[in-house]
């Protein structure tokens, strides 16, 4: 896998064809044209091998084409591919709902609504919250990402380009500061701040512009995903839950990215010992088969027939893939994510000692962010360097993605073994070396080399 890889001839040809027919709105960082995947390995159209630490945007929790998932899909596809849970009954959907209800955190069991994606799960939560409370407003957080359909986009607050040209969005959605301690929105320091960013909701937002009794729900990512893999301090979500309860609002946890064992627990909220009223799931739940799920306390999901539905939601093949995925996560992958995540973070912190440009290493389980800066003191963001590292990793055979403006997102399948992490660390170290260090002394062309980025103020 010691390859110097931009894109081979076949990959180049596919990219050219893609450009002619596929929407220009997608955000490809490099020309990876993937045709096959097994476990953590993927191969491109030219037969080049890559170690996948993106998991198809945190989706293939059990690795690519886990044999048990493949068997479950094949078996179900041979029996029944579609019937629509909107108008008919079928066992896979019911068995999966029973399982999800059982693992829903809290005393009350959940009822389940099925869609096909994260954004649909969020839309369902937004609608159910309005329907149940008869209140119009929502509260979300700065840098949040909840999806791209109009309801969820109104909560999304991550990058301006995601909203530009699409307004007007849902009115009466407000954003409170997320507990991003590395860049405290209130310029305070944890723990002496006493989680002032949560108090800000009542002290400022509810006092000055948002009548609390009009808010149907607070929608929150327990660990922020697209916004930069930001882990809030432990007390923060507890405070948010208390605020919601005090004012009769529902708490919707968006676990589309942080759920399904990725953080070392089935749901990230469990790290904070908070029981939300609803949980939105997608991505990792069915190992790559499309499925979005809203879990809500059973006493909330009382809307009448016809109030909400989705033709494809919870189709039998996705439901069977999800049942096997959950079994594998419960039996071993959750624990693996916890153990390997601890090791990965420890080693990344060592890398941070080597490279000044690594401003912050954070994460839980295998949901890890590495934030890059031009200067550790000023914390000036290094978005160009981030992109350069992502590309250099691709050239060296490692697939990773960015998140936020300047953070590397490390979210391998939960099957990642120590040897995979060591291999990824080796490639990351080589990429950092290549992109931040220049050879010492005069170069072959006799010119003085540029100063190392590690020591530069700007990249
Ligand atoms: N919520 C979170 C936290 C996400 O990370 C995403 C996607 O990245 C979504 C919602 C939207 O999911 P989808 O792209 O499946 O609609």
């Amino acid at each position: 896998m010691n390859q110097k890889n931009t894109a081979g001839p076949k990959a180049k040809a596919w990219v050219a064809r893609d450009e002619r027919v596929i929407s220009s709105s997608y955000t490809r960082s490099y020309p990876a044209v993937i045709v096959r995947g097994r476990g953590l390995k993927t191969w491109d159209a030219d037969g080049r091998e890559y170690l996948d630490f993106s998991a198809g945007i945190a989706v293939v929790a059990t690795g690519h084409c886990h044999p048990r998932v493949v068997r479950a899909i094949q078996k179900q596809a041979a029996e029944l591919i579609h019937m629509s849970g909107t108008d008919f009954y079928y066992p896979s959907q019911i068995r999966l709902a029973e399982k999800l209800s059982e693992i829903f955190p809290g005393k009350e069991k959940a009822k389940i609504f099925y869609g096909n994606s994260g954004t649909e799960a969020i839309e369902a939560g937004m609608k159910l919250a309005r329907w149940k409370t008869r209140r119009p407003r929502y509260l979300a957080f700065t840098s949040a990402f909840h999806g791209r359909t109009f309801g969820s986009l109104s909560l999304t607050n991550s990058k301006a380009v995601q909203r530009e040209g699409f307004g007007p969005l849902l009115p009466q959605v407000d954003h409170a500061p997320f507990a991003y301690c590395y860049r405290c929105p209130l310029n305070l320091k944890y723990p002496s701040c006493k989680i002032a960013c949560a108090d800000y909701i009542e002290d400022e937002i509810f006092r000055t512009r948002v009548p609390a009794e009009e808010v149907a729900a607070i929608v929150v990512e327990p660990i922020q995903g697209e916004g930069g893999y930001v882990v809030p301090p432990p007390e923060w979500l507890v405070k948010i839950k208390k605020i919601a309860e005090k004012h009769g609002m529902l708490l919707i946890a968006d676990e589309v990215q942080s759920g399904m064992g990725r953080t070392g627990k089935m749901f990230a909220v469990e790290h904070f010992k908070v029981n939300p009223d609803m949980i939105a799931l997608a991505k990792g739940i069915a190992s790559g088969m499309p499925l979005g799920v809203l879990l809500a306390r059973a006493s909330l999901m009382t809307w009448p027939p016809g109030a909400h539905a989705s033709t494809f939601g919870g189709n039998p093949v996705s439901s069977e893939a999800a049942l096997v995925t959950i079994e594998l996560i419960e039996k071993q992958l959750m624990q693996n994510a916890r153990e390997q995540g601890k090791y990965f973070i420890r080693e990344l912190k060592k890398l941070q000692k080597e490279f000044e440009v690594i401003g912050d290493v954070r994460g839980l389980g295998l949901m890890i962010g590495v934030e890059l800066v031009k200067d550790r003191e000023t914390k000036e963001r290094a978005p160009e360097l981030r992109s350069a590292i992502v590309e250099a990793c691709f050239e060296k055979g490692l697939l990773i993605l960015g998140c936020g403006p300047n953070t590397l997102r490390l979210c391998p399948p939960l099957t990642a073994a120590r040897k995979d992490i060591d291999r990824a660390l080796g490639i990351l170290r080589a990429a950092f070396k290549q992109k931040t260090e220049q050879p010492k002394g005069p170069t072959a062309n006799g010119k003085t080399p540029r100063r190392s980025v590690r020591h530069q103020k700007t990249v």
Side-chain angles (χ1 to χ4, degrees), residues 57 117-120 122 145-147 221 226 254 256-257 282-283:
I57 330 187
S117 61
T119 197
E120 281 180 77
I122 293 293
F145 187 90
H146 297 289
E221 293 163 272
E226 303 298 307
D254 181 345
V256 166
Q257 194 148 175
K283 288 198 186 286

Side-chain angles (χ1 to χ4, degrees), residues 90-305:
Y90 46 85
S92 326
Q93 195 191 44
I94 300 164
R95 283 172 38 239
L96 177 59
E98 285 169 351
K99 182 67 200 170
L100 290 168
S101 179
E102 179 197 311
I103 62 177
F104 181 69
K107 289 196 194 85
E108 199 179 329
K109 293 281 176 228
K111 279 198 165 183
I112 309 302
F113 175 87
Y114 289 115
N116 308 282
S117 61
T119 197
E120 281 180 77
I122 293 293
E123 295 287 340
M126 292 177 81
K127 283 180 76 175
L128 183 60
R130 262 198 185 170
W131 184 85
K132 196 71 194 174
T133 62
R134 303 291 154 143
R135 297 176 176 191
R137 310 183 80 117
Y138 302 94
L139 190 72
F141 293 89
T142 49
S143 298
F145 187 90
H146 297 289
R148 294 169 181 277
T149 48
F150 275 110
S152 65
L153 182 60
S154 310
L155 306 172
T156 288
N157 209 229
S158 166
K159 293 193 179 83
V161 67
Q162 293 156 352
R163 293 173 147 231
E164 191 187 338
F166 299 125
L169 302 178
L170 269 191
Q172 300 186 313
V173 174
D174 289 85
H175 291 88
F178 192 83
Y180 185 3
C181 296
Y182 181 65
R183 296 179 186 277
C184 174
L186 303 180
N187 260 327
L188 299 170
K189 281 253 172 314
Y190 176 79
S192 57
C193 65
K194 300 203 173 71
I195 323 290
C197 54
D199 299 333
Y200 184 90
I201 294 174
E202 288 187 302
D203 296 351
E204 293 298 325
I205 298 178
F206 291 167
R207 186 177 64 82
T208 59
R209 55 183 192 275
V210 177
E213 62 280 6
E214 291 184 8
V215 178
I218 302 182
V219 188
V220 63
E221 293 163 272
I223 296 177
Q224 220 163 48
E226 303 298 307
Y229 273 28
V230 182
V231 187
E235 312 88 322
W236 182 74
L237 200 61
V238 178
K239 274 194 158 188
I240 300 297
K241 167 79 179 168
K242 277 198 185 131
I243 293 169
E245 257 172 11
K246 180 173 157 193
H247 297 283
M249 303 158 188
L250 298 170
L251 184 68
I252 305 177
D254 181 345
E255 296 247 20
V256 166
Q257 194 148 175
S258 61
M260 306 319 296
R262 175 147 298 281
T263 65
K265 292 195 186 276
M266 186 59 83
F267 304 113
V269 287
E270 294 173 81
H271 289 283
F272 309 114
K273 302 197 170 49
V274 164
N275 296 330
D277 298 294
M278 303 184 210
I279 296 182
L281 294 174
K283 288 198 186 286
I285 190 169
S287 293
M289 292 299 292
L291 184 65
V293 182
L294 178 76
L295 292 73
R297 285 196 287 109
S299 57
L300 295 174
M301 212 174 259
T302 54
W303 41 12

Side-chain angles (χ1 to χ4, degrees), residues 40 61 261-262 264 329 331-343 365-366 413-418 420-421:
L40 271 85
R262 175 147 298 281
I329 289 171
K331 277 203 179 135
Q332 52 190 138
L333 300 187
M334 213 150 64
Q335 193 183 340
N336 188 59
R338 200 158 47 235
E339 288 168 10
Q340 302 302 341
K342 267 193 197 137
Y343 172 73
L366 289 171
L414 309 184
T415 49
R418 173 77 65 100
D420 301 314
I421 290 171

